[in-house]
Amino acid sequence: MDEVAEQEGVSNTVTHLVYSHHHADHAGAANLLGDDIVRIGHVETRGCCCGTTTRPGPPPDVTFEDSYTLQVGGERVELAYHGPNHSPDNIFIHFPDHDTLMLIDIVNSAGCRSTTSTSARTCPGTSTPRTGP
């Protein structure tokens, strides 16, 4: 982080932390960053996350239901909730000025084709139907 910050001419101080979702491998070490940062997550993350022995770490300070725009370091980050997917609180993280979208722990296989059921799909190389759109 230090090298990248130096190359970009920006501070390496973490001021904001976005919880993609509540799972411990994403939010569990959030307490290591100290108390002087703003933690942001979906409203469901507050209920699912943090503050217990099985899910350590502080809950988000700022929560949202549908969308939230974060302006930090001259960058705009659009956070959006489009319903449960990998977890009940997993969010889309969009950097519109960089044409970049992050959706954590989700894999969509290109080439999946519909079967006779509109809600089942089969992916090449597998015989197991996948449910959902």
Side-chain angles (χ1 to χ4, degrees):
M1 269 181 29
D2 293 340
E3 289 177 23
V4 171
E6 185 177 332
Q7 289 173 0
E8 295 295 319
V10 297
S11 171
N12 65 351
T13 302
V14 176
T15 60
H16 294 75
L17 175 66
V18 174
Y19 289 116
S20 61
H21 60 290
H22 74 277
H23 291 162
D25 61 326
H26 295 272
N31 58 336
L32 298 177
L33 296 173
D35 295 330
D36 295 333
I37 66 169
V38 177
R39 293 170 176 85
I40 304 164
H42 186 261
V43 68
E44 186 77 16
T45 303
R46 180 179 285 282
C48 291
C49 182
C50 315
T52 69
T53 56
T54 58
R55 292 196 172 101
D61 304 303
V62 175
T63 60
F64 64 94
E65 290 191 27
D66 296 321
S67 64
Y68 182 83
T69 300
L70 172 62
Q71 297 274 358
V72 63
E75 297 289 336
R76 180 175 53 141
V77 185
E78 301 287 342
L79 309 177
Y81 178 72
H82 294 287
N85 47 68
H86 169 69
S87 68
D89 59 331
N90 206 17
I91 63 170
F92 289 67
I93 304 169
H94 183 217
F95 298 83
D97 298 332
H98 299 281
D99 294 327
T100 302
L101 174 70
M102 293 177 14
L103 182 56
I104 308 301
D105 286 353
I106 301 295
V107 176
N108 286 331
S109 178
C112 292
R113 65 187 188 286
S114 293
T115 61
T116 55
S117 168
T118 58
S119 64
R121 302 186 186 282
T122 303
C123 297
T126 71
S127 60
T128 306
R130 179 178 67 95
T131 58

